[in-house]
Amino acid sequence: MCRSIKTLREPFTPQVTDADIEAAALQYVRKISGFRAPAAHNAAAFEAAVAAVTEATRTLLDQLVVRGGGSGSVVAGQAAASTGATVSGAQRER
């Protein structure tokens, strides 16, 4: 659909940041709305859509289970959790 949106699950992307998720959501909303930057009267709807897609993406990544991964991800996920970093479910489930 949109070539600017990259795959955000392992093994394609080992570290997914909030910025990665928000950028993908923004690109998706831009593509389906046809607006790079909406007019002032559409800004609230545009921003709400980006926020909703961002949250849906986080939920999806948290719930994905990647099979056949290495054994280091659980430790990495625990370390990230202790530092407050966001770790996808795919990273925790390996």
Side-chain angles (χ1 to χ4, degrees), residues 17-51:
T17 66
D18 286 340
D20 293 331
I21 294 171
E22 291 168 8
L26 178 60
Q27 287 298 328
Y28 176 78
V29 172
R30 283 177 173 169
K31 182 69 172 184
I32 62 170
S33 70
F35 298 118
R36 184 181 184 308
H41 63 277
N42 288 324
F46 190 89
E47 291 169 12
V50 172

Side-chain angles (χ1 to χ4, degrees), residues 10 14-15 71-83 85-88 91-92 94:
E10 287 190 3
Q15 290 286 346
S71 61
S73 291
V74 173
V75 174
Q78 290 169 347
S82 69
T83 62
T86 301
V87 178
S88 73
Q91 290 171 317
R92 285 192 297 268
R94 275 181 151 201

Side-chain angles (χ1 to χ4, degrees), residues 7-10 57-67 88-94:
T7 301
L8 295 180
R9 72 164 179 85
E10 287 190 3
T57 302
R58 280 191 186 107
T59 299
L60 172 64
L61 292 175
D62 284 344
Q63 294 177 0
L64 288 177
V65 176
V66 178
R67 295 180 182 221
S88 73
Q91 290 171 317
R92 285 192 297 268
E93 293 298 326
R94 275 181 151 201

